[in-house]
Amino acid sequence: MHASSEAPCYSPSVEASEAIHLGSATTHVPDELLEAPFESDRRHVMVDLAGFLLDRHLRRLVAMRNPLELRLARLLGRLQNSSGQLELGFARMSDYVTERLGISIRRMVELLKMDRRLEGLPRSAEAFASGKINASQLRALLRIMTPETEGEWLEKAARLNVRLLEREVRSAVGGRPGEWSG
């Protein structure tokens, strides 16, 4: 098997496994990133480190999903704003997303909310796309953030876990009547 310049960069060494570079023509997560280690390789993984290794791998895969989620939200927002579903023969957006995309109506609503709320928050969109904040953090932040407070809230997200960030957001929302609650 010959590696091409479009193949993902993945090797078992610690340094190379920290970064996954997908080539421009790669449209899915490469199978070798999803395969379990060979039985002969497993014996070299210390049992107490296995959880940490799996955690790192899972977080990388989720971070790879963020830019796709953001793009999906943006494109669904464009389709809805242009009533594009009508041109495609669907009376409602919900019909389009369930029939064509296999997305639940609830998920569509979440994505459209994300698109609308991120319009004036470019730093938050970038932080999410780059994996600096995860989807749970973004959902919490979108309940309270404004363009004026974006930097402050992103700093909080960088140093607080999700539970503490949500507590901060609830506290801030509780003090501001009429705040959007996403």
Side-chain angles (χ1 to χ4, degrees):
M1 179 196 270
H2 292 89
S4 72
S5 62
E6 295 299 319
C9 170
Y10 179 77
S11 86
S13 75
V14 174
E15 293 170 18
S17 68
E18 288 298 320
I20 297 172
H21 303 287
L22 297 179
S24 59
T26 305
T27 59
H28 65 283
V29 177
D31 291 337
E32 59 268 19
L33 293 178
L34 302 175
E35 291 175 3
F38 291 116
E39 190 64 41
S40 61
D41 291 338
R42 287 186 199 154
R43 68 175 181 223
H44 299 293
V45 175
M46 296 179 356
V47 174
D48 57 339
L49 293 179
F52 292 108
L53 295 172
L54 289 170
D55 172 61
R56 184 172 58 191
H57 188 69
L58 288 167
R59 285 187 294 130
R60 277 197 309 257
L61 289 173
V62 168
M64 292 168 67
R65 184 180 67 186
N66 289 358
L68 298 174
E69 291 285 309
L70 182 61
R71 185 75 174 153
L72 184 59
R74 298 279 192 215
L75 292 176
L76 280 175
R78 282 187 187 173
L79 187 69
Q80 183 182 45
N81 292 339
S82 68
S83 300
Q85 78 278 3
L86 296 174
E87 294 175 32
L88 297 169
F90 295 92
R92 295 177 295 274
M93 276 292 289
S94 58
D95 295 335
Y96 171 77
V97 297
T98 55
E99 291 292 323
R100 286 279 176 95
L101 305 179
I103 294 175
S104 71
I105 296 169
R106 182 178 181 167
R107 182 74 181 122
M108 173 197 73
V109 169
E110 290 173 4
L111 289 165
L112 290 171
K113 280 182 185 179
M114 178 194 303
D115 178 51
R116 280 192 308 272
R117 290 290 292 144
L118 284 174
E119 280 180 13
L121 303 167
R123 291 176 51 202
S124 298
E126 174 56 33
F128 178 65
S130 67
K132 291 178 184 167
I133 61 172
N134 63 41
S136 297
Q137 290 171 310
L138 181 65
R139 264 191 307 278
L141 292 173
L142 289 179
R143 292 181 59 207
I144 190 73
M145 253 190 322
T146 65
E148 296 78 27
T149 63
E150 185 178 24
E152 174 188 339
W153 282 106
L154 287 173
E155 287 174 18
K156 285 183 183 185
R159 61 176 206 278
L160 299 175
N161 65 33
V162 173
R163 184 176 297 164
L164 291 175
L165 180 64
E166 287 174 345
R167 185 180 298 159
E168 290 275 329
V169 168
R170 274 193 309 273
S171 174
V173 169
R176 293 169 54 178
E179 189 64 38
W180 180 78
S181 61

